[in-house]
């Protein structure tokens, strides 16, 4: 005998909606790109040599890429939370309608 739970049959619906694998990836990308972009965008903003303008523009693009990835990750988490609340409500309503 094992202590592991029995595997669910294929016709049983799950009660939890899982978070897409893209969301944690976007959070990691945001955590890396936001500080790097902020650093590169501000370190040479007042300098006048040839690469300073390019480095500032590159830092700004990296920063905004990190900000957009953070926003999309938070949006995915919010959509999953809303969908989970709807699923919980639907399951509760189904249980109330069907007497067992």
């Amino acid at each position: 005998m094992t202590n592991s739970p029995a595997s669910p049959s294929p016709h049983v619906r799950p009660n939890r909606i899982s978070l897409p694998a893209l969301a944690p990836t976007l959070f990691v990308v945001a955590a890396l790109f936001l500080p790097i972009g902020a650093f590169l965008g501000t370190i040479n903003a007042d300098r006048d040599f040839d690469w300073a303008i390019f480095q500032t523009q590159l830092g700004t693009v990296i920063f905004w890429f990190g900000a957009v990835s953070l926003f999309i990750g938070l949006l995915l988490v919010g959509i999953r939370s809303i969908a989970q609340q709807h699923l919980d409500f639907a399951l509760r309503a189904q249980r109330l309608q069907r007497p067992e």
Side-chain angles (χ1 to χ4, degrees):
M1 280 193 139
T2 62
N3 291 334
S4 64
S7 62
S9 60
H11 66 278
V12 175
R13 293 184 198 161
N15 290 337
R16 301 297 302 165
I17 296 176
S18 63
L19 187 65
L22 180 64
T25 306
L26 289 172
F27 288 132
V28 169
V29 166
L32 292 174
F33 282 3
L34 282 172
I36 292 172
F39 178 73
L40 288 176
T42 58
I43 191 168
N44 287 327
D46 59 347
R47 301 284 196 263
D48 215 12
F49 58 92
D50 290 338
W51 286 101
I53 294 171
F54 173 73
Q55 186 176 2
T56 302
Q57 291 173 345
L58 180 67
T60 304
V61 168
I62 291 173
F63 177 81
W64 281 110
F65 184 74
V68 167
S69 65
L70 178 65
F71 177 75
I72 293 172
L74 290 173
L75 188 68
L76 287 173
V77 169
I79 290 171
R80 191 214 66 86
S81 297
I82 292 170
Q84 183 64 50
Q85 288 177 356
H86 283 264
L87 178 65
D88 292 342
F89 180 76
L91 290 174
R92 194 171 333 142
Q94 183 181 18
R95 280 188 221 121
L96 290 175
Q97 286 181 349
R98 183 183 52 179
E100 291 184 22

